[in-house]
C-alpha cells in the first residue's frame, strides 16, 4: 500500500493558516487587554475624583464661617468692587504656584478652609517638568513632594502670601499621622493637573459661603496634555520650559490615559468660635 504524505504546498498553506489564526488570537488578546486596562484607568480616575470631592465637602461644610471672604461692600450708590479686590480676597484661602514663569499651568497650590488646608503638586511638578513644588518635611526628615494631601491648619497659616506668592514652600510637620493623602502612589499613578477655587460667594446675613471648585484629575502615563484641543492623550510635549525627551511620561500609551474634570459647589456652614451659633455675631 502506497503511503501519502503532505506536499510542500499543502504544508506551507497549513502553516500559513495556523500562523494567521495565532496572529489573530494574539491581536485579539492584546486588544482585549488594552480595553480592560483603559477601563481600569477610567474607573480609577472617577473613583479617586469622587473620594476627593467627598473629603472636601465634609471639610468645608464643617469649617467655621468667616466674614471676610468677600470684598468690602460698596458705599453709597457707587459700586467700587474691582477684579483686583476679588482676587486679593481669594488669596486668603486659595493660592497657587505656576508650573514655570509665565506658564498657564499650575505647579502646586493651597486651599485653606479654616480647619484643614489642602496641598497639592500637579503632574507637571511630579514629572520633573517644573521648578520646585511644595514639599512637606516630617519630624526633620527629607522634604517630600506629595500629590494631594490634607493637613490641620485652623488659622489658614499656609495661605499666607505676598500678592499671590506663597510664603510657605516647605511645610514642617511633627507627626506623619497629621498628613492625609487623598491620592495614593498605586499602580494607577494619578495626579492633579489643575485645581481651581473660584471666588466664594457669601451671605451677608448668615456668613455662610459657597465655594465653586473645579479640578482636573488624570493618569500620569499616557502623555496627558490638558491644553490639547479635545485630544488630551496626544503624547505631545507639555508647554513647560524644562520638558525633556527623556521624560518617561512623554510618550503616548492610550490604554493608560484617562482624564476627567470635576466641578462642584460646596457650602461652608460650620459654627465659628467668633460667633454665637451659626452666623450671628
Amino acid at each position: 500500500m502506497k503511503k501519502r504524505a503532505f506536499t510542500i504546498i499543502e504544508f506551507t498553506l497549513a502553516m500559513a493558516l495556523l500562523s494567521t489564526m495565532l496572529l489573530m488570537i494574539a491581536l485579539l488578546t492584546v486588544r482585549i487587554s488594552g480595553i480592560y486596562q483603559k477601563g481600569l484607568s477610567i474607573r480609577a480616575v472617577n473613583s479617586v475624583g469622587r473620594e476627593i470631592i467627598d473629603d472636601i465637602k465634609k471639610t468645608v461644610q464643617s469649617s467655621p464661617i468667616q466674614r471676610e471672604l468677600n470684598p468690602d461692600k460698596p458705599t453709597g450708590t457707587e459700586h467700587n468692587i474691582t477684579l483686583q479686590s476679588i482676587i486679593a480676597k481669594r488669596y486668603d484661602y486659595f493660592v497657587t504656584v505656576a508650573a514655570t514663569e509665565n506658564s498657564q499651568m499650575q505647579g502646586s497650590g493651597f486651599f485653606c478652609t479654616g480647619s484643614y488646608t489642602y496641598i497639592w503638586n500637579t503632574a507637571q511638578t511630579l514629572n520633573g517638568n517644573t521648578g520646585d513644588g511644595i514639599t512637606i518635611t516630617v519630624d526633620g526628615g527629607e522634604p517630600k513632594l506629595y500629590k494631594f494631601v490634607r493637613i490641620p491648619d485652623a488659622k489658614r497659616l499656609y495661605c499666607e502670601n505676598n500678592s499671590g506668592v506663597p510664603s510657605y514652600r516647605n511645610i514642617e510637620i511633627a507627626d506623619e499621622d497629621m498628613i492625609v493623602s487623598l491620592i495614593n502612589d498605586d499602580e494607577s499613578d494619578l495626579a492633579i493637573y489643575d485645581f481651581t477655587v473660584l471666588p466664594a460667594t457669601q451671605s451677608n446675613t448668615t456668613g455662610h459661603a459657597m465655594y465653586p471648585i473645579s479640578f482636573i484629575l488624570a493618569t500620569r502615563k499616557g502623555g496627558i496634555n490638558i491644553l490639547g484641543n479635545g485630544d488630551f492623550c496626544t503624547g505631545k510635549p507639555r508647554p513647560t520650559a524644562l520638558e525633556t525627551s527623556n521624560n518617561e511620561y512623554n510618550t503616548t500609551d492610550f490604554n493608560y490615559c484617562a482624564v476627567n474634570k470635576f466641578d462642584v459647589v460646596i457650602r461652608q456652614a460650620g459654627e465659628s468660635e467668633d460667633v454665637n451659633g451659626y452666623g450671628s455675631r
Side-chain angles (χ1 to χ4, degrees):
M1 182 176 178
K2 186 177 180 180
K3 293 182 179 180
R4 178 177 174 81
F6 289 110
T7 65
I8 294 178
I9 295 178
E10 290 173 332
F11 181 76
T12 302
L13 290 174
M15 291 301 296
L17 180 60
L18 180 61
S19 299
T20 301
M21 291 178 61
L22 292 175
L23 180 60
M24 292 178 64
I25 292 172
L27 291 175
L28 183 60
T29 302
V30 171
R31 178 63 176 168
I32 293 175
S33 299
I35 294 174
Y36 179 71
Q37 179 59 54
K38 182 70 171 179
L40 290 179
S41 299
I42 294 174
R43 186 177 69 175
V45 169
N46 292 334
S47 176
V48 173
R50 288 193 297 268
E51 290 174 1
I52 290 175
I53 290 175
D54 289 342
D55 192 276
I56 296 176
K57 274 186 177 180
K58 292 177 182 177
T59 299
V60 171
Q61 288 172 352
S62 61
S63 295
I65 60 173
Q66 299 194 18
R67 294 279 185 173
E68 69 277 9
L69 294 179
N70 285 340
D72 296 334
K73 298 179 184 178
T75 56
T77 59
E78 183 179 352
H79 294 266
N80 55 1
I81 296 179
T82 63
L83 178 61
Q84 289 75 17
S85 64
I86 294 174
I87 293 176
K89 285 296 182 183
R90 189 169 64 143
Y91 283 153
D92 290 342
Y93 54 87
F94 175 67
V95 189
T96 62
V97 179
T100 57
E101 188 176 357
N102 299 323
S103 173
Q104 302 178 47
M105 304 177 73
Q106 279 186 17
S108 52
F110 299 93
F111 172 41
C112 302
T113 68
S115 57
Y116 291 90
T117 288
Y118 291 90
I119 302 172
W120 63 92
N121 290 288
T122 66
Q124 290 75 246
T125 296
L126 297 170
N127 293 349
N129 295 338
T130 71
D132 297 333
I134 297 172
T135 59
I136 299 178
T137 301
V138 179
D139 194 22
E142 291 294 325
K144 180 180 177 181
L145 289 172
Y146 285 84
K147 292 182 177 180
F148 193 89
V149 299
R150 167 170 52 84
I151 63 174
D153 182 21
K155 296 182 178 181
R156 300 187 181 189
L157 176 66
Y158 300 124
C159 282
E160 287 186 3
N161 67 91
N162 181 13
S163 299
V165 179
S167 302
Y168 293 88
R169 296 294 291 271
N170 181 50
I171 310 300
E172 300 282 346
I173 297 292
D175 188 353
E176 191 171 10
D177 291 339
M178 299 169 64
I179 303 173
V180 177
S181 293
L182 301 179
I183 303 179
N184 297 321
D185 294 322
D186 55 18
E187 60 183 9
S188 300
D189 202 8
L190 306 181
I192 293 290
Y193 279 74
D194 183 85
F195 191 97
T196 300
V197 181
L198 298 176
T201 58
Q202 190 171 35
S203 168
N204 292 328
T205 303
T206 65
H208 296 174
M210 303 290 286
Y211 288 95
I213 298 174
S214 174
F215 64 92
I216 297 175
L217 179 68
T219 53
R220 290 174 65 191
K221 297 179 183 178
I224 299 287
N225 178 13
I226 63 171
L227 297 182
N229 187 19
D231 185 7
F232 305 111
C233 299
T234 59
K236 296 178 181 178
R238 300 178 182 83
T240 57
L242 302 180
E243 177 69 38
T244 66
S245 59
N246 296 325
N247 190 322
E248 62 176 314
Y249 295 105
N250 193 35
T251 57
T252 299
D253 190 340
F254 184 76
N255 296 333
Y256 290 89
C257 179
V259 55
N260 200 353
K261 182 180 180 182
F262 299 85
D263 298 286
V264 63
V265 178
I266 304 176
R267 179 171 177 261
Q268 183 182 41
E271 185 173 0
S272 174
E273 296 179 356
D274 299 329
V275 300
N276 297 320
Y278 289 80
S280 60
R281 289 191 178 276

